[in-house]
């Protein structure tokens, strides 16, 4: 697409809309499905909950799959917006985002597996599958953490979005990385870090709302695009 035909405000608003879908899908899957149905260290109770609310469990699966599809388009839109800040870092964000999404998509097989196990009376297998999905999700979040750190830096260095959003997003990325590695190395510490992770989510929420409502400063975006082209 020629730069003269590119409309950064349209891309920004569309990115904000996709980000909103991703956030809503994640909140629904985690808070309204996983937290409601999965009972820690109790495979039998978890199995009963899933079978009693099978449709909700299936909706939780879809609520995790749809955001992954949206993330493919979001990665391209945000690359197009921020390539004028730093081409190499903008491209690295795309790779981090896509690899993380691929890992999370693969782990969704373990999300669906309990339905297969429970139909055959294998409650322990169903619970183990969910545990493996949680590990896969933590792996995906390491890539997503890098995505947030670098994307936040791009926002901070840009002249067309508030620097505070970039700083908060990078901080959230650091929290994602710390929480994931704590899950692998010191689960007890990870449980204490989780509350900090929830607080840090303000970075993504602000980014989503800013893109959706305010978009970008088009005049400053055009100025930076001209310098980048030169």
């Amino acid at each position: 697409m020629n730069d003269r035909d590119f409309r950064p405000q349209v891309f920004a608003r569309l990115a904000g809309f996709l980000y909103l879908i991703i956030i809503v899908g994640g909140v629904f899957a985690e808070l309204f499905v996983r937290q409601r149905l999965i009972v820690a260290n109790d495979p039998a109770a978890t199995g009963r909950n899933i079978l009693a609310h099978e449709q909700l469990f299936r909706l939780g699966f879809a609520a995790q799959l749809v955001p992954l599809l949206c993330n493919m388009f979001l990665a391209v839109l945000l690359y197009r917006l921020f390539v004028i800040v730093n081409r190499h870092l903008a491209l690295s964000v795309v790779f981090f985002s896509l690899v993380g999404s691929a890992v999370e998509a693969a782990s969704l097989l373990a999300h669906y597996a309990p339905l297969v196990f429970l139909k055959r009376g294998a409650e322990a297998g169903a619970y183990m599958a969910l545990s493996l999905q949680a590990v896969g999700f933590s792996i995906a979040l390491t890539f997503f953490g890098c995505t947030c750190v670098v994307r936040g830096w791009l926002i901070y260095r840009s002249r067309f979005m508030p620097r505070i959003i970039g700083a908060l997003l990078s901080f959230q990325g650091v929290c994602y990385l710390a929480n994931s590695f704590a899950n692998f190395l010191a689960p007890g510490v990870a449980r204490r870090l989780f509350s900090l992770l929830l607080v840090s989510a303000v970075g993504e929420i602000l980014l989503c709302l800013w893109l959706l409502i305010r978009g970008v400063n088009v005049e400053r975006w055009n100025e930076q695009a001209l310098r980048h082209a030169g």
Side-chain angles (χ1 to χ4, degrees):
M1 180 183 290
N2 191 293
D3 281 341
R4 290 175 296 180
D5 301 324
F6 178 68
R7 297 182 179 180
Q9 199 68 295
V10 174
F11 270 47
R13 295 275 168 74
L14 183 54
F17 178 69
L18 291 173
Y19 226 132
L20 182 62
I21 294 175
I22 292 169
I23 291 172
V24 171
V27 169
F28 177 80
E30 182 62 31
L31 298 183
F32 291 93
V33 179
R34 191 174 184 89
Q35 295 296 326
R36 178 178 176 182
L37 299 184
I38 298 177
V39 181
N41 302 316
D42 195 338
T46 298
R48 289 193 299 270
N49 285 343
I50 292 174
L51 290 176
H53 303 90
E54 181 176 335
Q55 192 57 44
L56 178 63
F57 188 78
R58 291 178 181 274
L59 285 173
F61 176 85
Q64 287 187 297
L65 182 59
V66 170
L68 290 176
L69 297 174
C70 291
N71 201 42
M72 304 298 101
F73 296 101
L74 179 65
V76 175
L77 292 174
L78 292 181
Y79 169 79
R80 190 63 181 84
L81 283 171
F82 289 101
V83 66
I84 62 173
V85 179
N86 187 299
R87 181 183 299 274
H88 299 296
L89 288 179
L91 187 60
S92 73
V93 171
V94 174
F95 285 124
F96 279 129
S97 182
L98 296 185
V99 171
S101 294
V103 172
E104 186 177 350
S107 73
L108 281 183
L109 182 61
H111 180 129
Y112 198 85
L115 292 175
V116 178
F117 284 118
L118 291 171
K119 300 293 184 182
R120 291 164 173 76
E123 294 173 345
Y127 193 82
M128 185 178 297
L130 291 171
S131 298
L132 288 174
Q133 190 223 347
V135 174
F137 189 64
S138 289
I139 295 172
L141 285 183
T142 61
F143 290 94
F144 186 63
C146 293
T147 297
C148 288
V149 169
V150 182
R151 185 174 286 161
W153 187 90
L154 289 169
I155 293 172
Y156 187 85
R157 290 298 301 271
S158 76
R159 293 170 49 83
F160 48 83
M161 287 189 70
R163 283 189 162 189
I164 185 63
I165 294 179
L168 289 172
L169 189 65
S170 289
F171 173 71
Q172 183 177 356
V174 172
C175 290
Y176 274 128
L177 288 167
N179 186 72
S180 289
F181 278 99
N183 275 326
F184 304 141
L185 302 174
V189 175
R191 285 190 288 271
R192 292 194 292 271
L193 286 175
F194 187 70
S195 58
L196 178 62
L197 184 60
L198 292 178
V199 173
S200 72
V202 68
E204 274 192 285
I205 294 171
L206 284 178
L207 174 59
C208 169
L209 294 177
W210 190 272
L211 288 171
L212 194 59
I213 298 171
R214 297 293 298 272
V216 298
N217 185 314
V218 176
E219 183 179 351
R220 290 185 177 180
W221 190 95
N222 286 330
E223 290 174 357
Q224 197 157 355
L226 285 174
R227 286 197 298 272
H228 174 75

